[in-house]
Amino acid sequence: MTATAVPAADEAGLFAPRLRAMTIGSVALVSLLAFEALAVGTAMPTVARSLDGLALYGIAFGGPFAASVLAMVASGIWCDSRGPRTPMWHGLVWFVLGLVLAGGATTMGVLVAGRIVQGFGSGLLSVALYVIVGQAYPEALHRRIFAAFAAAWVVPSLVGPALAGLIVEHLGWRWVFLAVPAVAVPAVLLIHPGLRALGVTAVTGLPAGAAARIGWACGAGASAALLHIGGQQRGAAAVALVALALGGLLVCAPRLLPAGFLRAGRGLPTVVGLRGLASAAFVGAEVVIPLMLSRERGLSPTAAGLVLTTGAVAWSAGSWVQGRIPSPRSRATLPRAGLTCITAGTAVVAVTVVPAVPIWVGVLGWAGAGLGMGLLYPSLSVLTLELSAPGEQGRNSSSLQLGDSLFAATVLALTGAVLAAGTAPGPASYAGTLAVAAGLALLGVVLAGRVAPRAG
């Protein structure tokens, strides 16, 4: 694989002439992926009623997730053998085709098919973007561009659900899908000149074990979809489906992640593990907080949602901070600081189960957890590229995002099962799930020192 040398002038920043269009296009594309992921959740109840498809409601979410798992692995293999340009364009085509198919669906089955195609495209795009960062941006800018990617999720998380609701009410649910391609295509067109400037990638054979990885990815994707569907069931059916899905993930997922992942091997295995632990901790708490504040503290849905907004804003602030502080002397500094914030913040939120504790204490705690995610996420993305040889950036980037997605999906399903176990969730179940989330983050704090590989 060959690439043009990075001019020293480009060290000036993300908007230096050579990088400006690529930065704008990449950040816009990440924002669109985020908006679509968040907006569909708002629109889907209306879609299911309109198409008389409540029976397929679970697969409308689980199917795209499974497709994205397969696509992440395929994109990693593709990027390492041919470079990121081809998977980027294929990702765009699949993503847009899926949106158009879903937006024009007349039956729920067609909409689910479109969602699966869309999920496959988004998986291709997400990994290709990481590889583009590794090849197109100087190492000194990696933390800043990943901070920009993190910030690109903030605006969709703040306005995405509300905007999607307005679109559904005034334009119709179809435009939640059909409006996105109008921006996605120009975004990729902005990235394309920068990809051409990287030089020609020598076409190599598929990496060793590529076919086996695709097979394990199919198994992991099917298990992830089953986990998502099982998490929406109740009673014995939920227990059986979740147990079957977890068994499938335990068999398939380790074969898609770096060797030594299960024993927290030094270097990349721990980097991937920390990303998964942080994602599981944050998502596991995030799904509980609105329910707890509404049922136990009497907050309106809007007020409870604003508490989550503080976490999103703090996440963006943490990303901005880590992108501008001097490079730490130890690789473990930022991951450990981020996980410590997540642990402490989630524990503080758990205390608000007690009625005597003011709600603003929980708000500050969740802001601290968001700050920790902002410090952690970009730094782990940078470490992944730093620890990857040029021919392994695709595989390792896909592993990072796979660990993130699979950990989060597992915790979501288990949290849903716990909350649905009794007649109604109560203080004990809220405190228990938040304690588990804090415990996952604390485990990450203990393991953070292992992100540095052994000398030599």
Side-chain angles (χ1 to χ4, degrees), residues 146-203:
F146 282 123
F149 285 178
W153 274 84
V154 173
V155 173
S157 67
L158 296 178
V159 305
L163 180 59
L166 290 174
I167 291 174
V168 170
E169 290 180 15
H170 298 287
L171 297 178
W173 62 263
R174 297 183 186 279
W175 288 102
V176 172
F177 300 97
L178 297 177
V180 173
V183 183
V185 173
V188 174
L189 290 176
L190 285 172
I191 299 171
H192 185 62
L195 287 177
R196 290 195 309 182
L198 289 177
V200 179
T201 299
V203 178

Side-chain angles (χ1 to χ4, degrees), residues 2 17-18 40 100 107 112 116 136 143 161 172 176 182 214 223 227 243 272 275 299 309 349 367 383 413 416 431 452:
T2 61
R18 190 185 70 87
V40 167
V100 172
T107 67
V112 168
I116 291 173
R143 283 202 288 152
V176 172
I214 292 295
S223 299
L227 183 66
V272 172
R275 177 78 168 252
L299 266 65
T309 299
V349 173
L383 281 173

Side-chain angles (χ1 to χ4, degrees), residues 13-446:
L14 299 178
F15 295 96
R18 190 185 70 87
L19 297 174
R20 185 182 299 120
M22 180 172 286
T23 297
I24 295 172
S26 298
V27 172
L29 192 56
V30 171
S31 292
L32 286 174
L33 292 174
F35 171 79
E36 194 60 28
L38 295 165
V40 167
T42 302
M44 194 56 68
T46 302
V47 174
R49 287 194 299 271
S50 175
L51 299 179
D52 192 23
L54 289 176
L56 297 177
Y57 193 85
I59 197 64
F61 290 96
F65 186 83
S68 71
V69 168
L70 174 60
M72 288 176 194
V73 175
S75 186
I77 295 170
W78 214 343
C79 288
D80 288 340
S81 61
R82 301 191 62 178
R85 187 191 307 181
T86 303
M88 171 62 71
W89 278 109
H90 272 266
L92 174 68
V93 171
W94 286 98
F95 183 64
V96 170
L97 178 62
L99 290 169
V100 172
L101 189 62
T106 56
T107 67
M108 193 66 173
V110 173
L111 183 129
V112 168
R115 290 274 293 141
I116 291 173
V117 171
Q118 171 198 337
F120 188 80
S122 65
L124 292 176
L125 288 170
S126 62
V127 173
L129 281 171
Y130 269 55
V131 178
I132 288 170
V133 169
Q135 295 185 11
Y137 288 81
E139 188 174 340
L141 294 180
H142 283 180
R143 283 202 288 152
R144 291 194 179 186
I145 185 60
F146 282 123
F149 285 178
W153 274 84
V154 173
V155 173
S157 67
L158 296 178
V159 305
L163 180 59
L166 290 174
I167 291 174
V168 170
E169 290 180 15
H170 298 287
L171 297 178
W173 62 263
R174 297 183 186 279
W175 288 102
V176 172
F177 300 97
L178 297 177
V180 173
V183 183
V185 173
V188 174
L189 290 176
L190 285 172
I191 299 171
H192 185 62
L195 287 177
R196 290 195 309 182
L198 289 177
V200 179
T201 299
V203 178
T204 63
L206 292 177
R213 281 179 62 80
I214 292 295
W216 291 118
C218 290
S223 299
L226 191 62
L227 183 66
H228 192 103
I229 295 169
Q232 296 184 355
Q233 307 301 315
R234 296 292 182 269
V239 174
L241 290 175
V242 168
L244 182 61
L246 289 176
L249 287 177
L250 285 174
V251 171
C252 300
R255 291 165 172 81
L256 300 171
L257 302 175
F261 168 78
L262 291 177
R263 56 180 174 82
R266 284 190 170 272
L268 191 64
T270 296
V271 171
V272 172
L274 293 187
R275 177 78 168 252
L277 287 171
S279 179
F282 193 83
V283 170
E286 187 176 45
V287 74
V288 171
I289 289 172
L291 189 62
M292 179 190 74
L293 293 178
S294 297
R295 295 178 66 95
E296 302 300 323
R297 305 305 299 269
L299 266 65
S300 68
T302 301
L306 287 175
V307 175
L308 296 184
T309 299
T310 63
V313 173
W315 187 328
S316 180
S319 300
W320 184 88
V321 168
Q322 68 79 39
R324 284 157 179 79
I325 61 176
S327 297
R329 296 179 63 181
S330 169
R331 286 186 172 101
T333 300
L334 286 173
R336 183 179 288 120
L339 284 158
T340 301
C341 289
I342 298 168
T343 303
T346 306
V348 169
V349 173
V351 175
T352 58
V353 172
V354 179
V357 177
I359 292 176
W360 61 263
V361 173
V363 174
L364 290 179
W366 192 239
L371 179 69
M373 292 294 281
L375 294 173
L376 178 84
Y377 254 54
S379 63
L380 292 181
S381 299
V382 170
L383 281 173
T384 299
L385 294 180
E386 184 180 328
L387 297 172
S388 301
E392 298 176 345
Q393 290 177 338
R395 174 175 180 149
N396 294 340
S397 296
S398 71
S399 293
L400 184 72
Q401 296 180 53
L402 275 172
D404 185 338
S405 299
L406 294 177
F407 269 64
T410 301
V411 167
L412 279 174
L414 294 177
T415 301
V418 169
L419 294 178
T423 55
S429 57
Y430 299 135
T433 52
L434 289 170
V436 169
L440 291 171
L442 181 60
L443 176 60
V445 174
V446 173

